[in-house]
Amino acid sequence: MTPHTIQTQPIDGQKPGTSGLRKKTRVFMEPNFLENYVQSIFDGIGGVAGKSLVLGGDGRFFNQTASQTILRMAAANGAAKVIVGTNALLSTPAASHLIRKRGTDGGLILSASHNPGGPEEDFGLKYNTPNGGPAPEGVTDKIFAVTKTIGSYKTLDTADVDLSTPGSLALGDMEIEVVDPVSDYAALMRELFDFEAISALFAGGFRMQFDAMHAVTGPYATAILEGALGAAPGSVVNGIPSKDFGGGHPDPNPIWAKSLVKTMMGPDAPDFGAASDGDGDRNMIMGRGIYVTPSDSLAVLAAHAHLAPGYAGGLKGVARSMPTSGAVDRVAEARGIECFETPTGWKFFGNLLDAGRATLCGEESAGTGSDHVREKDGLWAVLLWLNILAVTGKSVSQMMSDHWAEFGRNYYSRHDYEDVESDKANALFDGLRDKLPSLPGQTFGPLTVESADEFAYDDPVDGSHSAAQGLRIGFAGGGRVVFRLSGTGTVGATLRVYLETVETDKARMHRDAQEALADIIAAADEIAGIKAHTGRDAPNVIT
Ligand code: G16
């Protein structure tokens, strides 16, 4: 089987965003688009000759076809081995684990995460480095540079390989090992958590609903929650992965996981509710009658992680993305451990985890994880919650009330303005950036601006500098608003407005978040002119 070299030309728009390259599926299906990007990854990491890789994805439309293309190209480029999940399925955290466990030279993950799937929806591809984590900017910059000069790619002229059953195959000189996507990951979860305590919880009548949102976590959740831990059959809903996620957005938030919210807020709600996203790295946590914000979830997990066997020695430190609320900061302060504030994107946690500076990380965008892999991990977060509830015997609402009483409450909300024309979003952003120096001291309603800057990050481990990571405005008393443009969308621009205020008065800790944030919301609009710039009266999504 002789590799073919196919001539090509650079294609515009192949700059990786917050998490790899995400585009409309139709764009990925255009001639040479996928091939150019895959060859650019291979060249950008110094070639794949003699190397081993992991390959898998969330099962969305085009996942199977793209996997076959990538396998042919890896073989033609001289790769020694590719480990691939059955039918090219692997959740993102499971892929991260396989890369680490098998010591490969990284992996390719096919996913557009929480974005919808299908021929008219979104597709994505990202490269993860040998530590199992998303490639940092230094690597994605090299990949992007190749996309701008590429002149050819290599492939084989072969039929598709059968990925439907575990086993070993050959493609040219390359070995393909097809593995069950769930078993290694499930074994890792068993090492980290007290499965006996969680099983006893379920045996005692504890009920949960896990909404897999027709996405990749279904088989993992069914095997672990219902299979290994004895949750009642039917606890996992929407558990069969579908190419278009049942026509929905596989995004675990109160808007897109509406039916779970309805169940958890209903009269006969189970004790615990959770959901995860397209590729299984995000999570949403609920209790009977209560939604837990991702920022609060991170803080609760940080305060109690030592109750799970995998974290019994305590945490080395914690990290959160800048727009994530400061709830975890106060836990870190109380426990006397370091707390890091990074730009948005899981890739920024990699160095801290590798260096042993942080054990737990989290983001407001429904991501929580630890040093067990180098991705955020939805089911892991659910199991850590279950472990903590099993040991403490508390309900989710009791856990939250006690947490707020001890540490104070950060009321938090994110308002998204989706699909804004890029020109308008940029004008809002540029105008606000120019205004920043003049804001401190100004008042907006009852609020006085105390600080205003554009966030930049100097990585404490390798010293790399990342500029322009969001505009943040702090108010006297601890309130804050942050403005960012999304780096994961595929059309127009999405303006994200992150709103936060701190409450330490116990009598005022059980209010509606939008009501508690009303002054900050009004100030955000007045300062940035959101309505004036976007022409929108209200955000599309409030989480
Ligand atoms: C990705 C990254 C996350 C990040 C999120 C933010 O999530 O992996 O670390 O917080 O994007 O997205 P945006 O730039 O749109 O605000 P995922 O789950 O889409 O891979």
Side-chain angles (χ1 to χ4, degrees):
M1 247 177 260
T2 322
H4 296 286
T5 300
I6 312 283
Q7 300 306 312
T8 186
Q9 291 178 0
I11 298 174
D12 278 346
Q14 296 206 325
K15 186 172 172 48
T18 310
S19 187
L21 187 65
R22 291 191 191 165
K23 293 282 171 193
K24 285 287 165 207
T25 311
R26 293 263 180 230
V27 174
F28 258 103
M29 293 168 75
E30 282 168 11
N32 293 350
F33 190 92
L34 174 67
E35 290 83 351
N36 271 24
Y37 193 60
V38 171
Q39 189 67 50
S40 300
I41 293 175
F42 290 167
D43 293 352
I45 62 170
V48 292
K51 292 184 179 172
S52 60
L53 295 167
V54 163
L55 173 67
D58 62 15
R60 69 181 58 222
F61 180 83
F62 196 51
N63 190 92
Q64 296 263 14
T65 313
S67 300
Q68 297 288 347
T69 301
I70 293 168
L71 287 170
R72 280 191 276 269
M73 289 183 65
N77 278 273
K81 179 171 182 168
V82 176
I83 303 169
V84 54
T86 316
N87 293 323
L89 282 180
L90 276 177
S91 78
T92 291
S96 180
H97 177 52
L98 259 187
I99 294 169
R100 296 168 64 74
K101 183 171 182 215
R102 304 292 287 273
T104 70
D105 299 284
L108 296 181
I109 301 178
L110 302 150
S111 171
S113 194
H114 55 287
N115 298 18
E120 308 310 328
E121 299 295 351
D122 294 350
F123 192 77
L125 173 60
K126 71 173 173 175
Y127 168 69
N128 279 30
T129 51
N131 75 346
E137 282 181 340
V139 177
T140 53
D141 286 349
K142 283 187 189 148
I143 294 169
F144 180 50
V146 181
T147 69
K148 291 192 287 189
T149 56
I150 189 168
S152 64
Y153 64 84
K154 289 196 182 107
T155 188
L156 295 182
D157 195 8
T158 54
D160 285 357
V161 286
D162 178 6
L163 302 175
S164 63
T165 39
S168 185
L169 306 163
L171 183 61
D173 295 333
M174 185 177 86
E175 181 193 351
I176 298 175
E177 184 185 344
V178 184
V179 297
D180 171 58
V182 177
S183 52
D184 285 319
Y185 176 84
L188 176 64
M189 294 302 114
R190 199 179 274 278
E191 280 169 33
L192 296 173
F193 301 115
D194 187 343
F195 271 37
E196 270 179 33
I198 304 174
S199 298
L201 184 71
F202 285 125
F206 183 93
R207 292 185 300 132
M208 80 172 286
Q209 185 170 104
F210 180 92
D211 188 346
M213 302 191 86
H214 307 277
V216 77
T217 324
Y220 295 84
T222 306
I224 297 172
L225 297 173
E226 294 185 15
L229 294 167
S235 298
V236 176
V237 298
N238 302 321
I240 313 276
S242 93
K243 283 182 182 180
D244 68 348
F245 308 113
H249 280 233
D251 194 355
N253 64 38
I255 306 297
W256 295 113
K258 257 199 195 86
S259 63
L260 176 70
V261 174
K262 199 170 163 217
T263 303
M264 296 308 297
M265 296 297 180
D268 186 33
D271 301 283
F272 186 66
S276 65
D277 69 334
D279 61 333
D281 57 1
R282 295 186 174 205
N283 73 89
M284 177 169 89
I285 301 294
M286 296 192 72
R288 184 179 295 137
I290 184 169
Y291 161 72
V292 182
T293 69
S295 298
D296 272 347
S297 176
L298 173 65
V300 168
L301 295 182
H304 299 282
H306 61 277
L307 300 178
Y311 307 92
L315 307 178
K316 293 169 190 149
V318 290
R320 63 163 172 88
S321 66
M322 182 274 284
T324 303
S325 96
V328 74
D329 302 30
R330 283 197 299 282
V331 176
E333 202 186 334
R335 300 282 187 272
I337 55 175
E338 275 193 294
C339 178
F340 299 91
E341 186 179 36
T342 62
T344 294
W346 205 262
K347 58 194 174 197
F348 291 102
F349 295 134
N351 281 343
L352 297 169
L353 294 165
D354 284 350
R357 304 273 301 265
T359 309
L360 236 61
C361 305
E363 296 187 287
E364 53 66 39
S365 56
T368 344
S370 86
D371 57 1
H372 68 291
V373 290
R374 293 295 180 272
E375 288 278 4
K376 53 191 187 281
D377 188 344
L379 198 47
W380 168 91
V382 170
L383 292 168
L384 182 49
W385 262 96
L386 287 171
N387 198 147
I388 292 167
L389 296 177
V391 174
T392 59
K394 289 184 186 179
S395 68
V396 175
S397 18
Q398 188 62 50
M399 184 63 79
M400 293 320 301
S401 292
D402 291 354
H403 186 89
W404 294 330
E406 184 177 354
F407 298 98
R409 176 169 183 184
N410 290 56
Y411 281 106
Y412 188 84
S413 182
R414 187 176 97 186
H415 290 190
D416 290 341
Y417 297 79
E418 292 177 339
D419 205 2
V420 176
E421 284 162 52
S422 296
D423 291 356
K424 290 182 178 171
N426 290 333
L428 180 153
F429 230 71
D430 292 344
L432 183 57
R433 187 184 284 115
D434 291 347
K435 248 191 205 177
L436 290 177
S438 66
L439 288 176
Q442 287 194 40
T443 55
F444 297 90
L447 300 170
T448 305
V449 175
E450 207 171 60
S451 60
D453 68 358
E454 180 157 31
F455 182 58
Y457 180 64
D458 290 301
D459 186 299
V461 178
D462 68 11
S464 57
H465 181 75
S466 303
Q469 298 293 333
L471 307 179
R472 54 183 183 178
I473 296 158
F475 300 100
R480 181 175 87 141
V481 57
V482 172
F483 297 85
R484 246 190 95 245
L485 294 178
S486 158
T488 58
T490 55
V491 276
T494 293
L495 171 69
R496 302 208 193 285
V497 185
Y498 309 84
L499 305 139
E500 178 178 2
T501 188
V502 182
E503 182 61 70
T504 49
D505 178 354
K506 282 186 192 151
R508 293 168 62 82
M509 280 183 187
H510 294 270
R511 298 163 69 202
D512 172 70
Q514 302 305 316
E515 182 195 312
L517 289 162
D519 291 338
I520 308 260
I521 294 168
D525 187 48
E526 204 183 330
I527 293 171
I530 301 172
K531 287 191 185 78
H533 279 286
T534 64
R536 304 276 177 87
D537 282 334
N540 309 67
V541 179
I542 295 181
T543 54

